[in-house]
Amino acid sequence: MRSQINSVVDELKRLRKEGQDRIYVSEESLRDLKLALGKIVAEDSEKEMESAVALIPDRIRSATAEDFNRVLKEEPKTASKTSGDRKATLGIPPAFELPEGNKQKRWDALREIVLNCPKCNENKREGYQLVFGVGSLDADIFFCGEAPGADEEEQGEPFVGKAGQLLDKMIGAMGLAREEVYIGNIMNWRPQLPTRVGNRPPTIGEIEFCLPYLRAQIEVVKPKLIVALGATAAKGLLGSKSFRSLREVKGEWREFEKTPLLATYHPSYLLRNDSKRDKRSAWEDLLKVMERCGLPISDRQRGYFL
């Protein structure tokens, strides 16, 4: 228990050093953390607990999901190139040119560039893989997520965990197979935490570094439209200050460099919030995607989750 608490404390110190003074923590997680800290105090002293709790500012302890969305769109306020902030550490986004040729040749070259990117390899967890997009290079629909998770960094493929299994079902409900669409992430590595338990959203610096690689995939595939899965993916494509809450843009057609884009819930959100209303809302977004792509829609499909 003590080692796990120390890992959390170390991560909070790292985030604070990078200039991030707010993170989203669920009430349940905060309750568990306080209980764990209480047990440590019972063994040691009240002073140690006060020192540990001091690492969690009031804004973090009282943070809401809206606070979390604000953090995603804000630049770190105290970060500087000498303070070790993530953006400065990563450097400027990569510049590269793809060879002339057909889609497969260009995609193969891009994949090699990403998998051999020094910064990507430096930031991935030792013993695990970078994650590049998969699917049809002639796909009409480009599904874009935010970052790989534990299952993805193990297999080197996006959306292969529980959220990926749900995404496959969503794609199947549209009358398509996973192999008929293209699936990618803004990030090519899993944002690191002290342990493999849990995920964190990528920082603005991480997103900006990896965005050229995603942009190049879109350029190669040339889909009819992009489906941004979740707020982080939508902010990465539309801009970190483009909206505060996903609900502001969800289900509305926007553009990413002249390609139509529609933002909807991330499959992991639907797993956490297993309500018929949210499922129907996400499905209505996919119906808009189907209509835009000219896919046939049956009465049965129109009636899902009603």
Side-chain angles (χ1 to χ4, degrees), residues 77-268:
K77 295 178 181 177
T78 61
S80 68
K81 290 188 177 181
T82 59
S83 67
D85 74 88
R86 204 79 190 123
K87 194 170 182 179
T89 301
L90 288 168
I92 62 175
F96 54 90
E97 290 186 7
L98 297 181
E100 297 294 331
N102 60 26
K103 286 187 175 184
Q104 189 66 55
K105 181 179 180 180
R106 290 165 60 80
W107 184 87
D108 289 341
L110 177 59
R111 185 174 184 275
E112 285 302 307
I113 291 172
V114 172
L115 297 186
N116 289 287
C117 172
K119 285 294 183 182
C120 290
N121 281 284
E122 178 184 316
N123 282 277
K124 76 177 178 66
R125 196 182 302 271
E126 185 176 356
Y128 294 93
Q129 301 183 61
L130 294 175
V131 178
F132 193 67
V134 296
S136 170
L137 300 185
D138 295 315
D140 288 338
I141 304 173
F142 191 118
F143 286 95
C144 178
E146 59 175 62
D151 294 308
E152 287 74 22
E153 70 173 355
E154 282 187 357
Q155 299 184 41
E157 183 173 330
F159 285 94
V160 293
K162 290 183 178 179
Q165 293 167 17
L166 178 55
L167 178 60
D168 288 350
K169 292 180 180 178
M170 294 162 65
I171 293 170
M174 298 170 71
L176 299 170
R178 181 183 175 96
E179 296 75 21
E180 295 179 276
V181 301
Y182 193 89
I183 304 174
N185 282 317
I186 288 180
M187 291 288 297
N188 301 112
W189 67 83
R190 182 187 180 196
Q192 290 194 20
L193 286 171
T195 69
R196 293 199 73 237
V197 178
N199 295 306
R200 71 165 173 84
T203 65
I204 293 176
E206 288 171 329
I207 290 174
E208 289 181 350
F209 183 86
C210 290
L211 192 57
Y213 292 141
L214 176 67
R215 183 182 290 112
Q217 290 176 78
I218 295 171
E219 180 185 334
V220 169
V221 177
K222 289 183 170 54
K224 288 183 178 179
L225 57 88
I226 301 167
V227 179
L229 299 169
T232 302
K235 284 180 181 290
L237 292 166
L238 297 176
S240 61
K241 298 181 180 180
S242 56
F243 61 89
R244 292 176 298 176
S245 168
L246 178 65
R247 295 183 185 276
E248 295 176 29
V249 296
K250 179 189 168 298
E252 296 182 0
W253 287 107
R254 302 293 178 97
E255 282 192 352
F256 174 73
E257 299 184 355
K258 299 184 179 180
T259 299
L261 180 150
L262 185 138
T264 190
Y265 294 134
H266 193 285
S268 62

Side-chain angles (χ1 to χ4, degrees), residues 23-25 27 30 58-65 67-68:
I23 60 173
Y24 173 64
V25 182
E27 291 295 331
L30 286 172
D58 289 339
R59 279 180 292 180
I60 290 178
R61 279 183 272 135
S62 63
T64 66
D67 293 324
F68 175 67

Side-chain angles (χ1 to χ4, degrees), residues 282-302:
W283 180 244
E284 288 176 350
D285 295 338
L286 295 185
L287 288 176
K288 294 177 183 178
V289 170
M290 294 172 68
E291 289 173 347
R292 187 100 179 205
C293 286
L295 294 174
I297 303 176
S298 67
D299 290 339
R300 182 169 178 267
Q301 287 172 312
R302 291 193 183 279

